[in-house]
Amino acid sequence: MSTIVDAMTAWSLGGSGSPQRDFARNTSVPRSLSGPGMAMSAAQSSMFEMWAVEQWRAAEAKLYPLIMVDPDLFETAVTMVAEASRLLRTQCDTVEDLLEIDTKSLASRCPSVRRVMASGLSPMLAVDAARARRWLEINGMPQLASGGALLDGGR
């Protein structure tokens, strides 16, 4: 029997580890235009950014229902989102930085990653939620990013 957490996190570890490859596989952008060593055109880059932001915002949205079904799990997730957000602020000054960051390495540097993994929640869900928030900050919408105080450890 699957739980709500299983349903909410099942998608998060299914990628190839390369956002560009996942994007090419899941969109109509021909692989020959987005393979290794191939620079994306401005239009492809813009499409990739929109696709990535959609994935990040979906991760963030998946965390909100946890407060109703498992407040302790929600608090665990929020803690990791806050930790990842702080790391992203020090390492990602541009959208390109945000798109290219090694998310597994970022997750491993969050002090609460073991607690998140032990809870059954994917650390990548928290990292992607943090990326959604950092994207808003980079794009001059910090009021929207800070408006989600619940996902920033209540600050």
Side-chain angles (χ1 to χ4, degrees):
M1 181 166 116
S2 71
T3 67
I4 190 167
V5 173
D6 296 333
M8 290 168 40
T9 61
W11 66 272
S12 60
L13 291 178
S16 68
S18 166
Q20 289 88 351
R21 264 184 271 144
D22 292 343
F23 173 72
R25 185 178 60 232
N26 295 314
T27 65
S28 60
V29 176
R31 289 177 194 224
S32 62
L33 298 178
S34 58
M38 298 291 295
M40 287 190 196
S41 70
Q44 288 172 322
S45 181
S46 178
M47 284 177 52
F48 175 64
E49 180 182 341
M50 290 184 331
W51 174 82
V53 170
E54 183 178 311
Q55 302 304 307
W56 302 339
R57 299 299 305 259
E60 187 177 37
K62 289 177 185 201
L63 293 177
Y64 286 113
L66 287 178
I67 198 165
M68 294 182 287
V69 296
D70 191 338
D72 292 335
L73 183 57
F74 180 77
E75 184 177 339
T76 298
V78 166
T79 299
M80 185 158 171
V81 171
E83 294 165 357
S85 292
R86 283 191 288 276
L87 289 169
L88 289 171
R89 284 185 197 107
T90 64
Q91 297 178 2
C92 298
D93 294 325
T94 67
V95 171
E96 290 76 23
D97 293 342
L98 200 55
L99 292 168
E100 296 296 325
I101 193 158
D102 180 347
T103 56
K104 289 180 183 179
S105 173
L106 180 76
S108 72
R109 288 179 287 141
C110 292
S112 64
V113 69
R114 290 187 194 277
R115 192 167 24 128
V116 169
M117 291 172 63
S119 73
L121 194 64
S122 167
M124 293 301 110
L125 192 65
V127 167
D128 281 350
R131 290 168 86 188
R133 306 199 67 242
R134 183 64 184 139
W135 181 84
L136 289 169
E137 293 169 350
I138 289 170
N139 282 289
M141 298 178 269
Q143 69 283 4
L144 295 175
S146 64
L150 285 175
L151 288 182
D152 201 14
R155 66 174 195 112

